[in-house]
Amino acid sequence: MKIYSKKDLNNYSLSLTYDDISLIPLEISQVKTRNEVNTKSFFIGEELTVPVISSPMDTVTGLEMAKELTNLGCIGILNRFNSSLNDLVTNGKNLEGIKAVSISLTAEESLIDQLAEKNMIICIDTANANNAYVLKKCEELKSKYKVKVIIGNVAHGSTLKQLVDAGADAVRIGIGGGSVCTTSVQTGIGIGQVSSLLNVYFTKLENKLDIALIADGGIKSPGDVAKALACGADVVMLGRMLAGTKETPGEVIKYNDQLWKKYRGSASFGVKMKNEFIEGEETLVPYKGAVKNVINGISDGLRSAMSYLNCNSLSDLQNINSFAVLSTSSYLERLPRK
Ligand code: IMP
């Protein structure tokens, strides 16, 4: 079997995603227990205990989720849909503990003024960062305010320099990979998440660009989080893994004797509520209880991966260079059987 480096994977003939690859430990690990490894990192000026950001979707991040993630040493990005952000800000509601907020391209200036004054990270939440109006908005924000700006999404590094020139501090990587995303089905756009990440990572490295990389969409498990970081991501952005937890907006629904919560795409009909082009689905996910348990599970998985791979820090993990490309049968063999 060939052991693939990141570069090899980046040059692989087919587009790859998390289920296509696996991490290979090649060294005697000096890590005694997984508790001694350090998962701390800095992401655009914020110290994180676990490198996790929540997606700014209306069924994922409201005030409660954003505040709890801050408590847990992560970042929640408040959604721009149903949280009536304008009301919250203008009525002086307590936004303490909120690190990041998403806005649309048409957000009012008065709102942005107040977010900037509160020193919040601003995420321009659009489907496609490779758009002149998105870049113009980013430039405007960066020239007018002293704020950190996240833009997205991209599937490839070809425009990374232009995003950096527009002042973007971080970029969301991934088009078509989200679990409620129908973009690829509707448009034919998008490549596998691993290939997207690696392409942007090497573009950043080769051109010495200063921008943080967010692996966004398609992450199903703590193992996928480890794979995303090993492919060069600085943090992961999660939708479905956090959906269904107590802190998400929305009611717990009892159906078929089980508890559920709603999870839906930002471009789904449920969010748009009008007859527009739809690129997202709506579904029910099992109720999961406190988000703290999900984050702890990710932290444990990550620590264990790091201990297998002889990594003391997240930057060690980002430098891992030994991957397998899995055949379908070896992928299936990795899964537990009933
Ligand atoms: P998940 O963690 O796999 O569920 O993916 C979450 C990501 O899917 C988000 O952070 C967005 O990048 C993306 N996404 C959210 N809503 C939509 C949509 O309606 N259409 C396409 N992509 C979406």
Side-chain angles (χ1 to χ4, degrees), residues 55-57 153 172 174 177-183 216-219 237-241 263-268 279-281:
S55 183
M57 296 163 79
N153 281 32
R172 293 164 68 182
S179 67
V180 277
C181 169
T182 52
T183 299
D216 178 19
I219 292 176
M237 179 175 275
L238 305 178
R240 182 174 290 248
M241 277 191 79
Y263 179 47
R264 64 188 179 191
S266 299
S268 64
E279 281 187 39
E281 297 208 328

Side-chain angles (χ1 to χ4, degrees), residues 237-254:
M237 179 175 275
L238 305 178
R240 182 174 290 248
M241 277 191 79
L242 305 179
T245 56
K246 177 166 82 56
E247 291 81 357
T248 57
E251 300 301 312
V252 178
I253 300 161
K254 192 162 183 196

Side-chain angles (χ1 to χ4, degrees), residues 24-87:
I24 317 178
L26 292 180
E27 296 169 12
I28 302 288
S29 179
Q30 303 300 326
V31 177
K32 201 166 181 186
T33 77
R34 65 168 190 261
N35 294 328
E36 75 186 38
V37 305
N38 188 353
T39 61
K40 283 209 171 97
S41 64
F42 274 95
F43 170 76
I44 58 174
E46 303 289 337
E47 196 187 41
L48 302 184
T49 316
V50 190
V52 168
I53 301 187
S54 71
S55 183
M57 296 163 79
D58 79 329
T59 49
V60 178
T61 320
L63 278 179
E64 203 185 335
M65 174 65 88
K67 287 183 180 177
E68 180 59 5
L69 286 177
T70 300
N71 287 338
L72 296 168
C74 304
I75 294 179
I77 307 184
L78 213 56
N79 80 77
R80 64 190 161 91
F81 305 102
N82 65 356
S83 58
S84 313
L85 195 55
N86 248 324
D87 281 3

